[in-house]
Structures are given as structure tokens and as C-alpha cells.
Amino acid sequence: MTLFWILGALLTAALALVVVFPLLAGRAESSQSRNELNTRLYRQRLRELAQDKDQGLLEDEESARLELQKSLLDDVVQEQAAPSRRASWLWLPAVALILAVAYGGYFQLGAHREVQAWQQASSRLGELSQRVLVEQDQTVTEQELRELVLALRTRLHREGDDYRGWLLLGRLALELRDGETARDALERAFTMADDKRMVLVPYAEALAMMGETLRAEGMLEQLLAQDPDNLEAWSVYAFMALQQDDFITAKARWQQMLSRMNEDHPRYAMVERSIAFVEQRMSAQQLAPVTGPRYQVQVTTATAVPYHPGAVLFVYAVDAAGGEMPLVARRIENPGFPLTITLSNADAMVPDNNMSQRDAVVLKARIAPSGNVMDKTDAWEGRSPVLSTAEDSAVEIMIDTPL
């Protein structure tokens, strides 16, 4: 940070010289130019006096010459007396303005707060690592986890030759639902690791979070063929099916996981609850079979869309003929992009008012940092073209419009 301020001061001084020097040089040059002009006029007037004398037009040459010299001396004296002590300090307001604009603008618009936060996070790397990894302190906040991620990324940028550091960064990013950071970090770890199986499961989870579902499933299938008792792989494999609303496949995968665990296993009860949850969803679908169109929606964001921790994604359908009331809607917390979801009448806000009762719909995807779909503060949106409700279709929506 000290180097930054030194460079900033040097750049400001250079800018001041660029502005002030022409002012001073311009005044000196103006003074010199005027004196030279007066001298040239004096010499020209002497030549004219000589010509007048030769033609007999001048009676008293000496008086005329003395008067001309006096006029020249008066002009020179006035020019030398013009710069006063006050005038010599006229460059100070320009320098003051430069300093005010440079440093005032930086403090108002610059990233000095972010730089300070980054430096503070980097200095806490050891402390946060001890609390999160060794002590497993449950009081660690999400903000502290983000500081640990920032500090770890800084360390890896300087000393990024150990796959364990990239693996840790990827796992932390997964916990924070930062799919892009997780994928990039775990890809580095996967490339560097001698035993790919140490990285494969979280790497597949990150790929699925970013919408690369087929690739992630292929990696997990290959791992489970070699290591069928890998419980972490079965868990991720089941959640991937659940995210696609494939309850039958999710149940089958959790049952495979359950068959490889003893009842006293810490995760046994959790897997049983997961199976009960998908059975409940399957029963609800059988009691109220879903009819109407089904849209496979892939949501991406433009590069201009800022990242807001805790933002919520809403994907919903409205009547193409007019109206903003959602017919069906899905709410996704801490989304990672790109992502793919299925939108159908099962997601109807009111069972008797769904997409089947419309000829056409428009799908919208909105990121709401506040978590409230009606709050447009810092919110961004994207929409699909008009879609017929007579058939299923795959849709791509890019969020690229600020509200």
C-alpha cells in the first residue's frame, strides 16, 4: 500500500508540472515576445526617421530620436514591473485543484476500501484457517468464510503450486455457492493432483453447479465403477438428480448410499430423511398429475451483472398477452451460473391458474439481491421469446437488463 501512495504522489506531481509549467513559461515567453516586438518597432522607426531626414522632411532629428528612445524605455520598464509577488503565486490554485480532484475523486470513487479489506483479510489467513479447519468453530460467519477465501486466493496467486490449497479453495467456494470460483479452483487441483480421485467428487459438484451436468455425471459414474463404496460420490450423485426433479433416480441413488452404511453411521438418519422427502414429492405428483407444457430453462448472466452474496434467482412465466402476475415460479437461493431447471404447472402459484390456460407465455429470470422479487434495487432480469404452451421446449435466458 505504501508503494501505491508513493506512485500516486509521483503521478500527481507530474500532472501538476504538466499544468503549471506552461503557465509560468507562457508568462515569461509573453514578456520576452513583447520586448522583442518593441525593439523591432524602435529600429524600424529609426530607419523611418533616417529616411525622413534624407528627404528633408525632418527638422529636428535629435529631438525625434530622444523621444523615440524614451518611448521604448517606458514600455520596457512597464513590462518588467508587471509581474508582482502576487502574480508569482498564481499557479497555487491550479496545484490545489489538481490535488483536490485527484485525491478527492479517489476517496469518493476509488477502491481504497476494498484494498484495505483485502489486506486485512490476507493478514487473517492463519487465524481463519485455524478456526475453520482445525478448531471447526461453529461461530464462524459467512463473511469470515469469504475473507478466508479471499486470503487463500491471494496466497495461491503467489504460491499456487500445491493442489491441496486449490482443493481447499474449491471446497470453501462450494460451501459459499460460488460455482465459478469453485470450478476454476478445483480444475487447477484436478490437473495438479497425482490421485485424481481426491478431487473428482467436489470437482463434479462444481461442474454440476455451473450447468455442466452431463460431464459431472460421467465423472461420478466412472468413479463409482472403481470405488462403489464412495459415500461422498453417491451423495453428490443423488443431489444432482434431485436438482433436476428426477425423484425416482434420486431415491434410487440414496438407497444405494444407505445400503453401504451402518445404522450407527452419522449420516444414516440424514439419508433416510432425504429418501422420505423424495417419496413425499413423488406421492404428491401421483395425487395431482402434472399436465401442460414443460420448459427446460438454462439461465446464464452477462458479464456486466455484478455478484451479490445472498442474491436469489426467480424464474417464472407470465402471460404473453399481457400481465406481470407469475403463473408458475421457481425460487433458487445462492444460484451458480449457468444453471438449468425445469418449469411446469407443478410450480403454479395457484393450482387453477397455470400455463395451460394460456395460449403463449414469456419466461423471465430475475436476480434479486434483496431476496424479494418485488424489490428492484440492484436487480437484473432476462426474458425468453414468446413460447407456445402447446408443446414442451428447451429455452435459454440470459440475464442482461438492469431494472
mmCIF file of all heavy atoms in Angstrom, residues 19 40 45 56-57 217 229 236 308 326 371:
data_model
loop_
_atom_site.group_PDB
_atom_site.id
_atom_site.type_symbol
_atom_site.label_atom_id
_atom_site.label_comp_id
_atom_site.label_asym_id
_atom_site.label_seq_id
_atom_site.Cartn_x
_atom_site.Cartn_y
_atom_site.Cartn_z
ATOM 1 N N VAL A 19 0.669 20.977 -15.843
ATOM 2 C CA VAL A 19 -0.267 22.097 -15.869
ATOM 3 C C VAL A 19 0.419 23.416 -15.547
ATOM 4 O O VAL A 19 0.175 24.446 -16.187
ATOM 5 C CB VAL A 19 -1.421 21.829 -14.866
ATOM 6 C CG1 VAL A 19 -2.338 23.058 -14.775
ATOM 7 C CG2 VAL A 19 -2.218 20.612 -15.305
ATOM 8 N N ARG A 40 11.965 45.773 -32.203
ATOM 9 C CA ARG A 40 11.842 45.794 -33.664
ATOM 10 C C ARG A 40 11.141 47.066 -34.130
ATOM 11 O O ARG A 40 11.519 47.683 -35.137
ATOM 12 C CB ARG A 40 11.092 44.544 -34.152
ATOM 13 C CG ARG A 40 11.917 43.251 -34.045
ATOM 14 C CD ARG A 40 11.303 42.161 -34.913
ATOM 15 N NE ARG A 40 9.940 41.853 -34.497
ATOM 16 C CZ ARG A 40 9.632 40.907 -33.603
ATOM 17 N NH1 ARG A 40 10.612 40.209 -33.017
ATOM 18 N NH2 ARG A 40 8.392 40.661 -33.291
ATOM 19 N N ARG A 45 11.377 52.386 -36.593
ATOM 20 C CA ARG A 45 11.099 53.826 -36.512
ATOM 21 C C ARG A 45 12.372 54.652 -36.756
ATOM 22 O O ARG A 45 12.319 55.734 -37.382
ATOM 23 C CB ARG A 45 10.531 54.143 -35.134
ATOM 24 C CG ARG A 45 10.102 55.589 -34.969
ATOM 25 C CD ARG A 45 9.015 55.949 -35.945
ATOM 26 N NE ARG A 45 8.621 57.357 -35.798
ATOM 27 C CZ ARG A 45 8.241 58.121 -36.788
ATOM 28 N NH1 ARG A 45 8.257 57.659 -38.041
ATOM 29 N NH2 ARG A 45 7.861 59.358 -36.559
ATOM 30 N N GLY A 56 14.414 65.537 -46.364
ATOM 31 C CA GLY A 56 14.235 66.915 -45.914
ATOM 32 C C GLY A 56 12.938 67.147 -45.197
ATOM 33 O O GLY A 56 12.480 68.288 -45.073
ATOM 34 N N LEU A 57 12.318 66.074 -44.720
ATOM 35 C CA LEU A 57 11.025 66.205 -44.037
ATOM 36 C C LEU A 57 11.180 66.370 -42.537
ATOM 37 O O LEU A 57 10.196 66.655 -41.848
ATOM 38 C CB LEU A 57 10.163 64.976 -44.336
ATOM 39 C CG LEU A 57 9.844 64.713 -45.813
ATOM 40 C CD1 LEU A 57 9.058 63.413 -45.960
ATOM 41 C CD2 LEU A 57 9.050 65.884 -46.393
ATOM 42 N N GLU A 217 -21.920 -36.003 -14.279
ATOM 43 C CA GLU A 217 -22.454 -37.347 -14.088
ATOM 44 C C GLU A 217 -21.498 -38.405 -14.632
ATOM 45 O O GLU A 217 -21.302 -39.469 -14.020
ATOM 46 C CB GLU A 217 -23.819 -37.478 -14.771
ATOM 47 C CG GLU A 217 -24.934 -36.758 -14.042
ATOM 48 C CD GLU A 217 -26.280 -37.006 -14.683
ATOM 49 O OE1 GLU A 217 -26.307 -37.492 -15.847
ATOM 50 O OE2 GLU A 217 -27.313 -36.722 -14.046
ATOM 51 N N ASP A 229 -18.134 -47.854 -2.958
ATOM 52 C CA ASP A 229 -18.457 -47.514 -1.573
ATOM 53 C C ASP A 229 -18.141 -46.055 -1.244
ATOM 54 O O ASP A 229 -18.101 -45.678 -0.064
ATOM 55 C CB ASP A 229 -17.683 -48.429 -0.616
ATOM 56 C CG ASP A 229 -18.131 -49.884 -0.726
ATOM 57 O OD1 ASP A 229 -19.323 -50.106 -1.008
ATOM 58 O OD2 ASP A 229 -17.290 -50.779 -0.525
ATOM 59 N N VAL A 236 -23.460 -36.711 -3.773
ATOM 60 C CA VAL A 236 -23.498 -35.696 -4.838
ATOM 61 C C VAL A 236 -24.311 -36.202 -6.023
ATOM 62 O O VAL A 236 -25.088 -35.452 -6.633
ATOM 63 C CB VAL A 236 -22.062 -35.323 -5.267
ATOM 64 C CG1 VAL A 236 -22.082 -34.399 -6.481
ATOM 65 C CG2 VAL A 236 -21.314 -34.673 -4.111
ATOM 66 N N HIS A 308 -23.708 -10.496 -6.096
ATOM 67 C CA HIS A 308 -24.201 -10.074 -4.789
ATOM 68 C C HIS A 308 -24.342 -11.312 -3.900
ATOM 69 O O HIS A 308 -25.151 -12.202 -4.197
ATOM 70 C CB HIS A 308 -25.561 -9.382 -4.915
ATOM 71 C CG HIS A 308 -25.514 -8.053 -5.585
ATOM 72 N ND1 HIS A 308 -25.116 -6.906 -4.937
ATOM 73 C CD2 HIS A 308 -25.800 -7.680 -6.860
ATOM 74 C CE1 HIS A 308 -25.173 -5.882 -5.765
ATOM 75 N NE2 HIS A 308 -25.580 -6.320 -6.939
ATOM 76 N N PRO A 326 -47.054 -13.776 -12.006
ATOM 77 C CA PRO A 326 -46.476 -15.080 -12.371
ATOM 78 C C PRO A 326 -47.525 -16.188 -12.368
ATOM 79 O O PRO A 326 -48.345 -16.288 -11.449
ATOM 80 C CB PRO A 326 -45.417 -15.315 -11.286
ATOM 81 C CG PRO A 326 -45.127 -13.966 -10.723
ATOM 82 C CD PRO A 326 -46.421 -13.215 -10.809
ATOM 83 N N GLY A 371 -33.529 -10.568 -2.129
ATOM 84 C CA GLY A 371 -34.303 -11.781 -1.885
ATOM 85 C C GLY A 371 -35.785 -11.602 -2.096
ATOM 86 O O GLY A 371 -36.556 -12.553 -1.985
#
